[in-house]
Amino acid sequence: MKQKLKKVALLISTFVCAFSVNAEEEITLYTHRHYESDQALFEQFEKETGIDVKVVKASADGLMERLKAEGKNTPADVLITADAGRLYKAKEQGLLQPVESEILIERVPANLRDPDNNWFGFTERARIFAYAKDRVKPEELSTYEELAEPQWRGRILARSSSNIYNQSLLASIIAADGEKEAYNWASDVRKNMARPPQGSDRDQMRAVAAGLGDVAIVNTYYLGLLLNSDNPKDKEVGESLGVFFPNQKGRGTHINISGAGVVANASNPEGAKRFLEFLASDEAQQSFPESSYEYPVVEGIKWSPLLESWGQFKQDDLSLSKLGEMNAEAIRVFNRAGWE
Ligand code: FE
């Protein structure tokens, strides 16, 4: 009798559950990305799966603080953020959960995802040199390391070391050259700067265009944003700059990702997993080069004419989770080297 009652209860709960899922299944995304094209992607996902997408936007650090504070009561199912260093931090803080998905393992290259499947990269960016075409010949450029040489005195522009993109770049240099060399590099590049580090990646390129310095260290998509800006001045800035991919003869150019993971306390982890798989689909991957000037992570996806114009390049294939592991060390090295 007891057994029977249990069975009935199970049937009822299964029915209720299935019914409520069909009626109003939804996922909530925490994201700090601000591309209109992301919204179009979310709508496409809704159309294909019937799962409603709710979006909460805030700064990357703000979202992580919020996840921590909300704990089990969080409405979030998916965290989307840029930089493997940040995703690593989210995992370390227990904010994410592993996802078992053959699709993700197959489509996202191993170095662009967490070894324990807590996060996956969905778009790629390269940290490159944007140089003044009228003052620098690409033959004069070669590696990140070479920016420490005296011929670059007063000519380099870079943002502050509190920025995770620079922390991840330095982590990759520590991984390649060791801490001592990385320290020498950071202090010499700091000496070669045209001004104390300040502003955004785009501000560094604006400063090069204004003649303040000759070479800026920036992420590729920011150049795409300038070139496609409604502001004619920014467009002009973009057009005055050349793109150089460092370390082509060695380990390759430092790359990073925008990525996502399923929130540890997600109320709809299955829906969240489907969303991640959707981000790895051809359809989503094809949209990134056109809409946000980022590279797809899935092989064989066509690039946009802009990305094609920058050319193919060799990428540093360091596992990006290393960037997170070495983040604290990178911050220490920056501080010791006096890179504000
Ligand atoms: Fe960015």
Side-chain angles (χ1 to χ4, degrees):
M1 184 65 188
K2 228 180 180 181
Q3 198 65 12
K4 218 176 183 182
L5 266 177
K6 243 189 192 169
K7 248 188 185 166
V8 170
L10 192 71
L11 267 175
I12 290 172
S13 69
T14 310
F15 176 74
V16 169
C17 200
F19 179 76
S20 63
V21 164
N22 284 338
E24 48 181 294
E25 188 177 353
E26 63 172 39
I27 55 170
T28 298
L29 313 178
Y30 276 14
T31 176
H32 73 270
R33 284 169 62 93
H34 37 72
Y35 294 107
E36 271 170 44
S37 52
D38 279 10
Q39 193 52 45
L41 264 186
F42 301 160
E43 281 163 21
Q44 189 58 32
F45 174 77
E46 286 180 327
K47 223 164 78 189
E48 284 175 24
T49 62
I51 301 173
D52 281 340
V53 176
K54 278 195 175 164
V55 181
V56 175
K57 280 188 204 171
S59 72
D61 293 333
L63 290 173
M64 279 169 54
E65 283 311 313
R66 200 158 156 176
L67 279 177
K68 256 192 283 180
E70 289 166 344
K72 287 203 159 53
N73 298 321
T74 186
D77 296 293
V78 175
L79 173 69
I80 303 176
T81 188
D83 204 287
R86 247 186 225 131
L87 288 158
Y88 180 91
K89 228 178 265 174
K91 176 194 174 192
E92 286 299 288
Q93 293 174 354
L95 302 177
L96 302 175
Q97 62 171 292
V99 175
E100 252 178 70
S101 162
E102 271 173 40
I103 294 175
L104 292 176
I105 297 293
E106 204 178 287
R107 293 180 69 84
V108 180
N111 64 315
L112 307 183
R113 52 179 153 84
D114 173 39
D116 304 318
N117 301 322
N118 277 238
W119 51 262
F120 301 83
F122 294 107
T123 70
E124 225 179 79
R125 57 280 300 284
R127 200 137 181 85
I128 51 113
F129 302 156
Y131 62 90
K133 278 195 278 199
D134 59 349
R135 300 190 295 281
V136 177
K137 291 195 193 77
E139 304 86 76
E140 296 173 73
L141 295 162
S142 60
T143 61
Y144 297 107
E145 284 79 355
E146 201 260 344
L147 289 190
E149 297 299 322
Q151 70 263 29
W152 297 107
R153 189 58 49 94
R155 301 172 72 190
I156 307 299
L157 284 146
R159 71 199 291 174
S160 92
S161 66
S162 64
N163 171 257
I164 189 118
Y165 303 151
N166 278 347
Q167 292 167 8
S168 286
L169 171 62
L170 187 59
S172 79
I173 292 173
I174 297 172
D177 304 334
E179 180 168 340
K180 194 164 166 252
E181 282 305 309
Y183 164 79
N184 290 335
W185 178 82
S187 52
D188 289 343
V189 171
R190 174 62 190 91
K191 283 180 205 132
N192 284 346
M193 283 188 197
R195 62 174 182 190
Q198 58 197 267
S200 65
D201 275 13
R202 269 176 281 193
D203 290 335
Q204 312 314 315
M205 292 188 274
R206 292 179 183 122
V208 170
L212 227 70
D214 295 334
V215 177
I217 306 172
V218 296
N219 283 354
T220 36
Y221 58 90
Y222 285 119
L223 183 57
L225 286 168
L226 287 177
L227 287 165
N228 289 281
S229 168
D230 293 333
N231 180 338
K233 266 197 184 152
D234 271 349
K235 231 179 161 137
E236 229 172 85
V237 168
E239 277 156 8
S240 73
L241 301 171
V243 172
F244 187 85
F245 291 93
N247 296 67
Q248 287 304 287
K249 289 190 180 133
R251 66 183 181 270
T253 299
H254 168 67
I255 52 134
N256 212 312
I257 49 163
S258 246
V262 175
V263 169
N265 293 309
S267 43
N268 186 1
E270 265 310 306
K273 172 177 155 181
R274 281 183 78 181
F275 179 74
L276 297 197
E277 291 175 344
F278 171 76
L279 290 181
S281 68
D282 282 0
E283 183 185 11
Q285 288 288 307
Q286 265 153 13
S287 78
F288 294 124
E290 289 285 352
S291 57
S292 58
Y293 321 112
E294 293 170 288
Y295 296 96
V297 297
V298 172
E299 215 161 306
I301 300 291
K302 210 170 156 335
W303 290 3
S304 63
L306 178 66
L307 302 197
E308 288 286 359
S309 76
W310 294 338
Q312 296 285 328
F313 65 100
K314 180 182 175 187
Q315 307 180 355
D316 184 352
D317 62 4
L318 177 73
S319 172
L320 295 192
S321 98
K322 284 266 179 275
L323 304 178
E325 280 172 41
M326 299 169 75
N327 179 267
E329 193 178 344
I331 293 172
R332 272 201 306 276
V333 170
F334 267 137
N335 288 341
R336 273 202 294 131
W339 183 322
E340 305 90 321

